[in-house]
Amino acid sequence: MNDEQLTKELEEALAVEPTPQFLARVRREIEAEGRRPAVRLMAAGVAVAAVILGIVLFHPENPTTVESSTASQIVRPLPAAEISITFVPSTPTVTKGRSTQASGHSAQPEFLMDLRETAALQSFLQDVQERKIDPARLEGLFQSAEKVRNTTIAPMPIAAIEPIVITPLSSAEPETGGDL
Amino acid sequence: MSGDLAQEFEVRLAESSRLAFRVAYGVLRHREDAEDIAQEAVTKAYRNFARLRQRDRFRAWLVRITWRLAIDLHRSCKRRTARESFQAPGGKSDTAADVLAARERSARLWTAIDALPEKLRIVTVLAGIEEHDIREVSRLLDLPEGTVKSRLFLARQRLKELLQ
C-alpha cells in the first residue's frame, strides 16, 4: 500500500457525516444550557431559604457557648445528685481491660472503672443483697478505718551510734627498706 | 452569556460542530456515541467560552475537548461490540463483493489505527479529516509543525506495516 492509497482510505474512513438532526440537537442543548444559570440561581435560593428556615425552626434554646479558655472555667463540676453509676452485668463494654460505663447519647459524663474494681464492687453489692454482709456493722468498720487513716505514726528515733574513729597507723621507727 | 458572545459562539459552532463529530467518530466509530460526545464537548465549550482568551483557537480547543471526552468514553466502553467499522465508499453501482471487500479493508484500517499509540493516532485522525494539512494539524494540537510531521510519518509507516 502506497501513501496515496493510505491517504485515500483514511479520508474515506473519516468522511462520516453526522445525522441532520445533530446540529439542531446541539443548538437545543446550548439553549437549555443558557437557561440553566437562572434555574441554578433559583435552586440555590431555595436551598438557602431551606437552611435559614431549618435554623430558625430547630435553633436550640440554650446554645452552648464557651466563653473562657481555662480548663477550670470550662469544666463545671456536676452536683453529686446528677452523678449516678449504673451497672449492667450482662452486657459490660470492655475496652482494653477497662469497663466503660458509657451513657450513650446521654449528657451524663462517662465513667471509666477498672474491671477488677467493678467486679469487687458488684460482688460486694451482691453480698449485701444476699445479707452475707450486715450493713449495720459496716458503719463501725468504716469508723475504725477512718481512725486508722487519721493515726499518725511517730518516726522511730535514730539510735545513737558512736562514730567510728580510725586512727592513722604510726610507727616509732622510720620506714626503711628491708634487707634482701 | 451576552448577546454578542452568543452570536460569536453560534458562528464557531456552525463551522466546528462537524469537526467535533468527526474527531469523536475517529475514536469511537459509533455514530450515536460520536454525536453525544460532540454535543457534550460543544456544551462544555459553550460554558467556558467567555473565559477563552484566544477566540481564534476555538477549533483547536474544541478538538482537544472532544478527543479527551471520546478517549474517556472509549476506555470505559472497551467491551462495546456494536461498533461501526465501515463507512461505505462508492455509489449504487457497487456489487456485494465490492461492498464486502471495502468493509474488510475498512475494518483492517481501523484495527491498525487503534493499534497506534495515542500521540500518533490523533495526528492520523486529524490529518485524515477534512484534508487537514500539517500546519492545520499543528494548530489544532498546539504542536510544532516538525513534531506533527514526524509523528504523521511514523504513524503512516506503522499503518503501512500493519496493513501489509
Side-chain angles (χ1 to χ4, degrees), chain B residues 24 90 103 162:
Chain B
R103 189 185 289 263
L162 290 165

Side-chain angles (χ1 to χ4, degrees), chain B residues 28-163:
Chain B
L28 301 164
R29 295 202 305 288
H30 189 274
R31 202 183 291 264
E32 284 77 25
D33 282 355
E35 285 191 0
D36 288 348
I37 288 295
Q39 181 183 318
E40 195 181 333
V42 168
T43 312
K44 222 170 189 177
Y46 176 80
R47 273 188 221 130
N48 298 294
F49 188 61
R51 277 181 271 172
L52 181 66
R53 287 179 190 169
Q54 295 172 289
R55 297 279 156 71
D56 57 327
R57 309 283 301 140
F58 180 79
R59 270 167 77 84
W61 186 46
L62 185 63
V63 162
R64 280 197 292 273
I65 296 173
T66 311
W67 180 266
R68 193 45 45 208
L69 288 172
I71 288 283
D72 288 349
L73 183 67
H74 179 58
R75 283 179 185 152
S76 65
C77 308
K78 270 214 164 164
R79 282 167 292 177
R80 182 194 304 282
T81 51
R83 276 188 156 199
E84 290 177 28
S85 57
F86 170 61
Q87 173 61 30
K92 288 176 184 173
S93 60
D94 289 341
T95 62
D98 290 340
V99 171
L100 193 65
R103 189 185 289 263
E104 279 177 9
R105 271 205 317 275
S106 179
R108 284 181 62 216
L109 178 66
W110 279 117
T111 309
I113 292 171
D114 279 350
L116 293 175
E118 199 180 316
K119 283 179 181 176
L120 302 185
R121 198 165 9 140
I122 192 167
V123 291
T124 310
V125 169
L126 289 178
I129 294 171
E130 298 172 7
E131 297 176 347
H132 284 150
D133 58 9
I134 287 172
R135 179 177 287 187
E136 182 65 18
V137 175
S138 77
R139 269 174 55 80
L140 289 175
L141 296 177
D142 203 15
L143 287 172
E145 284 184 30
T147 308
V148 173
K149 203 172 178 178
S150 66
R151 282 184 189 175
L152 201 54
F153 176 76
L154 206 61
R156 283 173 167 276
Q157 287 294 109
R158 289 214 191 159
L159 285 177
K160 276 194 258 179
E161 283 167 17
L162 290 165
L163 293 168

Side-chain angles (χ1 to χ4, degrees), chain A residues 3 7 17 19 27 33, chain B residues 10 22 31 35 47 160:
Chain A
D3 275 344
T7 306
E17 293 294 332
T19 55
R27 285 198 175 112
E33 188 68 26
Chain B
E10 173 57 35
R22 284 183 169 177
R31 202 183 291 264
E35 285 191 0
R47 273 188 221 130
K160 276 194 258 179

